[in-house]
Amino acid sequence: MTFYIGRESSKLWKRICAEITTEINLLAENWKYLFAGLICQYIHGLAARGVHYIHRPGPVLQDVGFILLPELGKEKAYISETLFSFIFLSFVLWTFHPFIFKSKKIYTVLIWCRVLAFLVASQFLRIITFYSTQLPGPNYHCREGSKLARLPPPESVLEVLLINFPRGVIYGCGDLIFSSHMIFTLVFVLTYQKYGTRRWIKQLSWLLAITQSFLIVASRKHYTVDVVVAWYTVNLVVFFIDKKLPELPDRSGATSLLLPLTGKDKEGRTKEENHKLLNGNSGDPADWRQRTQVNGKILEDGNAVHADSTMNGA
């Protein structure tokens, strides 16, 4: 038993080291895209913080979702955040599964480049939308009478740039249309829908996304319109951007053929192909037929040689 555990641990460690090497090579090529995506996440947070300064609390607007769904109240408002945290952490762990599991379909660096592209495009549209029209926040800390509903003018630029993280993010007001929670949820679900392998997880993911939508409205964190707009906007954004981005390599086949080639690998492969061509073989391994050189010409099979000799003697 001890020997078996030791052997499996050794295999797991080798797998992790091999995956780290592969991902580092990919990171060296794609770090600019990841860095730009993270910078855009900060800009999105900065924009959400900025709209809080111009938020003006008022009566909660009439909303169909508020009429149909019972209000959870302040005591149970954590339920929607708990579900969102579960979805977020589950997706993050899934993107790192190639480091552990033998069966894998994605590269962690490449999948996050794709996810960040979806998030940035959706958040750019969101910033334009919530700055166009500021609605009175329906959340408890954004209503009239709450000390957090309005922010005093910033005393310095640094106060704005630091965005009072994480309190400024949790107790923000004014960034309503459309829901940021639904942006992340739908991007994660759509990504797993395409690159995930477990059918039951895909079905569960959509169920959790629908549940998240109802909980956001029931918690009075957003109006129903914020959730509805997120559903069709994010789906359209992912649909169109996914067509523009290059397709990810599928790792379910031969892994070695999908890894990025270094300069030495490319040079070695080119020399090998040239060597095959000089010997009369094409680059296709299935085309390794016997060839004979006669009169400076490369001919196939002995019958061709005999025909050429007969023609010369005629």
Side-chain angles (χ1 to χ4, degrees):
M1 184 66 178
T2 305
F3 174 75
Y4 174 78
I5 295 176
R7 184 179 63 181
E8 292 301 316
S9 300
S10 178
K11 289 181 179 179
L12 176 61
W13 176 247
K14 291 180 180 178
R15 192 179 305 135
I16 293 174
C17 292
E19 191 66 27
I20 290 175
T21 302
T22 302
E23 295 291 347
I24 287 177
N25 290 333
L26 291 173
L27 183 61
E29 297 178 1
N30 299 279
W31 69 269
K32 295 179 181 178
Y33 305 111
L34 293 175
F35 183 71
L38 294 176
I39 292 297
C40 288
Q41 296 306 299
Y42 169 74
I43 294 175
H44 174 253
L46 194 64
R49 177 67 173 177
V51 79
H52 195 169
Y53 285 103
I54 59 177
H55 173 256
R56 295 295 178 265
V60 177
L61 303 179
Q62 184 175 349
D63 189 279
V64 175
F66 293 177
I67 298 173
L68 298 178
L69 294 176
E71 188 172 352
L72 289 179
K74 289 184 179 180
E75 296 77 14
K76 297 181 181 180
Y78 69 91
I79 297 178
S80 66
E81 288 298 327
T82 302
L83 179 59
F84 176 75
S85 299
F86 173 76
I87 295 173
F88 189 94
L89 292 176
S90 298
F91 181 81
V92 171
L93 291 176
W94 171 74
T95 60
F96 284 91
H97 82 273
F99 289 87
I100 305 296
F101 295 99
K102 186 176 182 180
S103 175
K104 58 195 74 176
K105 188 179 178 181
I106 62 169
Y107 293 100
T108 301
V109 170
L110 298 183
I111 200 71
W112 274 109
C113 287
R114 209 173 192 85
V115 168
L116 285 172
F118 299 150
L119 290 175
V120 169
S122 300
Q123 290 166 343
F124 175 75
L125 295 176
R126 180 175 187 259
I127 292 172
I128 295 176
T129 307
F130 67 63
Y131 266 103
S132 300
T133 302
Q134 290 83 48
L135 303 179
N139 211 335
Y140 304 106
H141 63 270
C142 298
R143 298 179 183 178
E144 291 179 313
S146 174
K147 296 180 179 179
L148 301 175
R150 300 181 66 174
L151 290 179
E155 298 179 358
S156 64
V157 177
L158 186 62
E159 180 183 342
V160 178
L161 295 178
L162 292 178
I163 66 177
N164 194 21
F165 184 84
R167 183 178 176 85
V169 176
I170 298 174
Y171 294 101
C173 297
D175 55 328
L176 293 173
I177 302 178
F178 42 97
S179 171
S180 179
H181 283 64
M182 290 308 302
I183 290 178
F184 281 92
T185 299
L186 291 172
V187 166
F188 292 167
V189 171
L190 290 168
T191 302
Y192 188 84
Q193 179 70 28
K194 183 174 183 179
Y195 297 105
T197 56
R198 305 291 183 180
R199 184 179 179 183
W200 67 271
I201 296 182
K202 295 180 181 181
Q203 295 172 344
L204 178 62
S205 299
W206 285 112
L207 179 61
L208 291 178
I210 294 173
T211 304
Q212 178 73 44
S213 302
F214 288 119
L215 287 176
I216 288 175
V217 177
S219 300
R220 303 302 188 255
K221 295 180 178 178
H222 279 278
Y223 292 106
T224 305
V225 65
D226 306 338
V227 176
V228 172
V229 172
W231 267 93
Y232 64 74
T233 302
V234 176
N235 275 278
L236 289 173
V237 166
V238 172
F239 175 78
F240 285 108
I241 292 185
D242 186 63
K243 287 182 173 295
K244 297 295 183 181
L245 295 176
E247 189 53 68
L248 296 184
D250 189 357
R251 305 187 68 178
S252 57
T255 307
S256 59
L257 297 178
L258 300 177
L259 297 178
L261 295 177
T262 61
K264 293 183 179 179
D265 293 334
K266 293 179 180 178
E267 183 180 355
R269 178 169 291 185
T270 303
K271 289 182 179 179
E272 183 180 355
E273 291 175 354
N274 292 337
H275 181 69
K276 290 178 181 179
L277 292 173
L278 289 175
N279 289 337
N281 292 332
S282 65
D284 187 2
D287 194 22
W288 290 351
R289 292 171 289 181
Q290 182 71 28
R291 286 168 167 83
T292 307
Q293 186 171 353
V294 177
N295 295 333
K297 297 180 180 180
I298 298 176
L299 303 176
E300 299 179 8
D301 303 329
N303 295 334
V305 177
H306 175 70
D308 190 274
S309 301
T310 304
M311 292 177 65
N312 292 335

